[in-house]
Amino acid sequence: MTPAGPGVRIEIRPASAAGAGAGPGWPATTGAVVVDGADACFVPRHPFLAGTTYAVRVDGTETLLHRAGIDTPATAHVVGIHPTCPTVPRNLLRCYVEFDRPMSEGFAARSVRLIEANGTELVDALLPTEPELWDGARRRLTVLLDPGRIKRGLVGHRAVGYPLPTGGDVRLVIDERMRDADGRPLRAAAQRSYRVGADERRPIDPTAWTVPPPPTGTGDDLVVRFDRPLDHALLGRCLRVLDPLGAPVPGRATPGPQDRSWRLSPARPWRAGEHRLVVDPVLEDLAGNSVTRVFDRELDRPGGRTPPPASVPFLLA
Amino acid sequence: MTDHGLRTGTVAPTSAGPIDFGPDGILFVADNVAATVHAVDVADPGAAAASEPFDLDDVDARIGSLLGSDAADVAIRDLAVHPTTHNVYLSVQRGHGAAGTAVLVRIDRVDASISEVLLVDVPLATLAITDAPAEDDERQDVTLPLGAHEGEELPVGERTIRIQRSAIRTSTITDMAYVDGMLFVAGLSNEEFSSKLRRYPFPFTGRAADNNLEIFHVSHGQWETAAPIRVFVPYDDGRSILASYTCTPVVHFSLADLRSGTKVVGRTVAELGPLNQPLDMVSFVQDGAEHLLIANTSHGLLTIACADIDRQEPLTQMTEPVGVPRKTEELPGVVRLDNFGEGYVLALQRDDSGRHHLRSLKVSSL
């Protein structure tokens, strides 16, 4: 019971719990009662939730009050789905879904799905993660394919096989049931289609990249081309260029189309001398292979522990 | 009690994450959005408890009644039992999105009364999780905050707007455990597929960067892999850890083997099976022998004798059953576990209709 003004008792519960029971195990909603003259105002400790019905009992008389749901139009939409390349390896590990505004957690499991070309949902292909993997602003969702079905030798891989169908076509679908931070659905569903290609089991080898040196004295972009698409998110932070003195070259870095390249627009003209493209070893490709390790390394395969190159030199004449 | 470096303060966690008790009734509370762990003296008011069972139906609806929300708007993220009073602490996310709040709830094991544990003017210490957005990652997402006081002011020409900067790279804490002056933290990155297990001295010193441990494991003697540790449990007086991964191998490693900056390869002793996810683990002693209880998404509770783990050779054959012998308890839907005195394990159970209940499992019957 929540005491109110003289002789008045106010008790509030969600209607769904109002008839469940009494006693200390079924507490009334916590809050404070502010008495203003003849009026008593209940201030909940946590704001009343939209779409919830409350049972308000005042001096033994109960009234149901419904707090309206969000009725403003849906505006949130998907602005990006990565990878962006048309063909992904069969052992694809990770996708990213980007939204134009902050979203709510707790809806991805029902809203994000992989669907085959014939319309069949690939059940159990995606790894349920609780809590979901969002960036700090809740605008980018990381979606993992079940690694237990990708890793060779594990029971999941042997018994159920790869999450993606060999040689087939799939769509990653984000339907309207996703909710934005205000609880509204998406304005429209979004999807991206992929052809499922061969496995990618090689470590990332920066020496296989092309790094054509830009002309000295110009502000031309440096464009690094990879031998395969790389992870979109990691590409955003794992590469940098050092000048001949070892100082980072300032500029604007952006992943290229399909994450097959990386472009650095320098903030100042290029200087002559040996530069180095430095690679953070955590950089991964679409299948989770990094510079330092492959996703699952065969122990009897030689060369698995060869130290990877930490950087790629290129000379500006 | 010693102060453990705690100072009176106030904190409002932004997201409900794992919780776990450390020494002297100090509760570790993870906040995944803020990438922090708070150590809080919860000043539990209860008396020391004997080993008695405690069961409570519809715990999510009861919490919702307290917090003013339907059970569907109550997500119980973790469970921890006070080691002395056996009062039950639950890490709860109430509501979604902008309306979502993180709440710490205590259930009195004597009368089942439920109360919110306010982290206001309480002894606390806060740890920033390294490897969350770090100095080497300057990427930030800039948004317009929903509230009038969140974020920071930014002058734009003659006007001032309020913006909020958020890290793009995050690390979600999936499990924590305190062992002999160290807090171990397992997490899941939203970018790289890292298998780092972090350990931080407690009392918090602010230093931990040299304590990231990369734990590898070997599948059937043929493939060496790394993966994020999802849940883990210390046992053998803190000398060993049993960890379960997102890809379901159950791996043993010795804490004595852990040296900063060195590669650690654990011993794969079991697999949980296909399309399965580990959810929680706890150790208990039955007839003088230590056992481990594993909650998972596909099977009932799995019980493993620690002696069998010690005996288990690294898995090299892909034959069924895979690895160490285990007993399955026909108790479906258990999502969280903690010790409830020496005689019981407390389980949070989700039934087919989505309702959550607290169930005491008698150790002698497991």
Side-chain angles (χ1 to χ4, degrees), chain A residues 16 25 27 29-30 45 47 54 94 127 134 136 138-140 142 153 155 181 237 284 293 297 299 305, chain B residues 33 62 65-66 68 70 94 98 116 118 139 141 167 170 190-193 220 222 224 226 263 271 277:
Chain A
S16 57
T29 296
T30 180
R45 172 162 160 68
Y54 293 90
R94 189 189 296 113
L127 182 76
W134 289 90
R138 298 294 183 268
R139 297 208 305 187
R140 191 189 72 191
T142 302
V155 171
R237 68 175 164 92
E284 294 178 6
R293 57 166 172 76
R297 183 176 74 84
L299 289 172
R305 295 183 189 274
Chain B
V33 169
R62 294 168 186 264
S65 187
L66 176 77
D70 294 330
R94 183 235 191 217
E116 183 177 350
L118 300 178
R139 295 170 305 149
D141 195 1
T170 59
N190 70 336
E191 294 189 346
E192 70 266 34
F193 204 63
H220 306 293
Q222 296 181 37
E224 180 185 86
K263 175 176 171 177
E271 285 194 43
Q277 286 285 305

Side-chain angles (χ1 to χ4, degrees), chain B residues 15 25 34 65 71 105 124 126 143 153 161 191 201 215 219 227 232 270 331 335 340:
Chain B
S15 68
S65 187
V105 165
L124 67 85
T126 297
T143 55
E153 291 186 342
I161 61 173
E191 294 189 346
I215 313 289
S219 298
F232 65 99
L331 188 65
V335 294
F340 196 71

Side-chain angles (χ1 to χ4, degrees), chain A residues 257-292:
Chain A
Q258 299 181 15
D259 299 315
R260 290 177 178 275
S261 61
W262 180 81
R263 178 181 298 267
L264 177 66
S265 305
R268 65 180 190 216
W270 293 101
R271 296 168 180 165
E274 185 176 275
H275 289 63
R276 301 192 76 84
L277 175 68
V278 180
V279 185
D280 187 323
V282 304
L283 178 63
E284 294 178 6
D285 64 15
L286 302 184
N289 304 301
S290 78
V291 181
T292 54

Side-chain angles (χ1 to χ4, degrees), chain B residues 16 27 31 65 113 120 141 164 205 223 243-244 256 287 300 328 349 363:
Chain B
L27 186 67
D31 181 345
S65 187
S113 62
V120 177
D141 195 1
Q164 185 148 8
T205 62
W223 290 281
S244 190
D287 297 329
T328 302
Q349 183 187 32
V363 161

Side-chain angles (χ1 to χ4, degrees), chain B residues 13 21 118 150 155 199 274 323 334 342 345 363:
Chain B
F21 273 101
L118 300 178
E150 299 167 10
R199 58 178 175 178
V334 173
E342 292 184 356
V345 168
V363 161

Side-chain angles (χ1 to χ4, degrees), chain B residues 103-328:
Chain B
V103 182
L104 184 63
V105 165
R106 173 169 52 225
I107 302 179
D108 191 302
R109 54 105 193 155
V110 175
D111 63 1
S113 62
I114 303 176
S115 56
E116 183 177 350
V117 181
L118 300 178
L119 305 182
V120 177
D121 292 334
V122 293
L124 67 85
T126 297
L127 169 76
I129 297 297
T130 52
D131 230 40
E135 312 81 52
D136 63 348
D137 185 9
E138 297 175 348
R139 295 170 305 149
Q140 292 189 326
D141 195 1
V142 177
T143 55
L144 299 176
L146 298 171
H149 304 291
E150 299 167 10
E152 60 190 273
E153 291 186 342
L154 180 72
V156 179
E158 296 181 352
R159 300 184 58 195
T160 299
I161 61 173
R162 185 166 285 277
I163 62 167
Q164 185 148 8
R165 300 179 195 271
S166 306
I168 291 177
R169 179 188 181 198
T170 59
S171 184
T172 298
I173 297 169
T174 55
D175 204 2
M176 299 188 295
Y178 174 82
V179 182
D180 194 22
M182 286 282 179
L183 180 67
F184 287 76
V185 177
L188 197 55
S189 166
N190 70 336
E191 294 189 346
E192 70 266 34
F193 204 63
S194 166
S195 65
K196 279 179 181 163
L197 181 69
R198 307 180 187 97
R199 58 178 175 178
Y200 302 91
F202 182 76
F204 296 142
T205 62
R207 289 186 306 103
D210 59 346
N211 273 319
N212 287 333
L213 309 160
E214 191 88 7
I215 313 289
F216 288 75
H217 57 277
V218 174
S219 298
H220 306 293
Q222 296 181 37
W223 290 281
E224 180 185 86
T225 75
I229 293 174
R230 189 67 175 263
V231 298
F232 65 99
V233 60
Y235 70 101
D236 189 21
D237 281 334
R239 286 188 284 269
S240 295
I241 279 183
L242 194 71
S244 190
Y245 289 74
T246 49
C247 48
T248 80
V250 178
V251 176
H252 163 275
F253 54 92
S254 165
L255 286 179
D257 295 338
L258 302 184
R259 296 282 183 274
S260 293
T262 60
K263 175 176 171 177
V264 177
V265 179
R267 176 168 49 99
T268 303
V269 296
E271 285 194 43
L272 296 180
L275 305 178
N276 196 3
Q277 286 285 305
L279 293 173
D280 208 353
M281 296 202 280
V282 71
S283 76
F284 65 91
V285 176
Q286 183 186 67
D287 297 329
E290 191 169 17
H291 293 69
L292 302 176
L293 198 59
I294 304 175
N296 58 95
T297 58
S298 294
H299 306 298
L301 285 172
L302 302 176
T303 306
I304 296 175
C306 295
D308 287 335
I309 295 173
D310 296 338
R311 278 192 290 267
Q312 178 66 45
E313 295 291 326
L315 298 187
T316 56
Q317 299 296 318
M318 289 185 274
T319 54
E320 301 286 352
V322 181
V324 65
R326 78 289 309 261
K327 193 172 118 187
T328 302

